[in-house]
Amino acid sequence: MQTGFTFSKLADHLASLGDVTVADLDLLAEMPSTIAHFSSHQAILRHGDDNHQCCLLLQGYLSWQDAEGMDGQITSISVPGDIPDLQTLYRPRINGNLIALGPAVVAVVPHRFFRELSARSSAMSRTLLLMLLGDHAIQRNWTINLGSRDALTRVAHLLCEITTRLQNVGLAKDFRLASPFTQSDLAAACSISPVHANRTIQELRRCNLLQWHGKTLTISDWPGLVRLARFNPAYLGIRPRDQGVRPSGPAKSAVALA
């Protein structure tokens, strides 16, 4: 992969899910896009919008949030390389609010590109479907997390999931990551109060499982956190892959939005 390939995290994500070749991934270089920058807790999409383009997350974190509740319940978190609104290829109406968790950079890509990509490459078509199915699998696991685990295990499991997904796209290799949320966001993702979220983080610190300083989160004891969370990453659909499978050329220049 040449240095500067804009959509390398997406390429990493796709390569981890399906049987794609270098030629398949090179098709991403033709992706038309507009680059948009969002501030913390800014809305990217709102409930009821009709969407005819997809948001590819390049930097930062995004979250789907309940549009009707008063507490801003977070129902999923996206990491770089994710396309959180991929389902709008089939159902354009937005159900929920897509919100930036901290500053985020997004590539806005027309639906037509993904339709043309699927028509040109059956492998990419299947892998995009696997990405969408993976989103649904994560959502089912979030339901289990909220319904059958205590607060400590919920938080530990969420941190294991986010770290694993980041590592899949070449981030958090040393178990150090930019915090995907404030403690209030963590509370909204785990359906607990902010006070309870704070106490839970303090307990994980006392157990020497993690350190949380400002906007940086470090997992101090990964095996211990995995044991506490009873975390099995199989539901993520990530598989070992040929590390040589990468796009060979840079993407077209994108238009930036302030």
Side-chain angles (χ1 to χ4, degrees), residues 46-208:
R46 293 191 178 277
H47 179 75
D49 289 348
D50 281 327
N51 200 34
H52 300 286
Q53 51 198 12
C54 286
C55 297
L56 166 59
L57 181 57
L58 301 180
Q59 296 177 25
Y61 303 94
L62 303 181
S63 68
W64 282 109
Q65 299 187 14
D66 178 20
E68 299 179 356
M70 298 297 293
D71 57 357
Q73 175 71 45
I74 292 175
T75 58
S76 70
I77 293 175
S78 299
V79 304
D82 286 350
I83 307 174
D85 56 346
L86 186 60
Q87 77 279 359
T88 61
L89 281 170
Y90 309 98
R91 184 176 293 175
R93 183 61 58 91
I94 299 297
N95 182 20
N97 294 329
L98 185 62
I99 308 292
L101 292 177
V105 181
V106 170
V108 181
V109 184
H111 281 174
R112 63 176 172 77
F113 171 77
F114 292 107
R115 294 194 177 103
E116 292 168 358
L117 180 66
S118 296
R120 294 173 65 184
S121 168
S122 59
M124 291 295 271
S125 177
R126 182 176 184 275
T127 304
L128 287 170
L129 177 58
L130 289 173
M131 178 184 283
L132 188 57
L133 293 174
D135 290 343
H136 286 292
I138 290 171
Q139 192 64 68
R140 287 194 298 271
N141 201 275
W142 273 51
T143 301
I144 294 170
N145 206 34
L146 296 181
S148 63
R149 295 171 181 140
D150 61 30
L152 190 64
T153 308
R154 288 182 201 179
V155 172
H157 197 281
L158 177 58
L159 294 177
C160 286
E161 178 190 295
I162 296 297
T163 302
T164 300
R165 290 166 61 195
L166 287 171
Q167 290 181 333
N168 184 53
V169 293
L171 301 172
K173 292 180 179 179
D174 57 354
F175 296 103
R176 184 188 302 270
L177 54 144
S179 174
F181 29 58
T182 65
Q183 291 191 10
S184 293
D185 294 328
L186 179 63
C190 293
S191 196
I192 55 181
S193 71
V195 171
H196 200 171
N198 181 270
R199 290 173 179 168
T200 301
I201 291 298
Q202 294 305 323
E203 179 63 22
L204 292 172
R205 281 173 167 161
R206 281 193 292 272
C207 294
N208 295 317

Side-chain angles (χ1 to χ4, degrees), residues 187-241:
C190 293
S191 196
I192 55 181
S193 71
V195 171
H196 200 171
N198 181 270
R199 290 173 179 168
T200 301
I201 291 298
Q202 294 305 323
E203 179 63 22
L204 292 172
R205 281 173 167 161
R206 281 193 292 272
C207 294
N208 295 317
L209 295 174
L210 61 79
Q211 301 172 39
W212 191 336
H213 298 298
K215 297 181 180 180
T216 301
L217 181 66
T218 304
I219 309 300
S220 307
D221 181 359
W222 176 250
L225 191 67
V226 168
R227 285 194 300 271
L228 173 62
R230 300 191 297 278
F231 178 69
N232 181 344
Y235 70 95
L236 296 174
I238 297 170
R239 57 173 201 165
R241 68 181 189 274

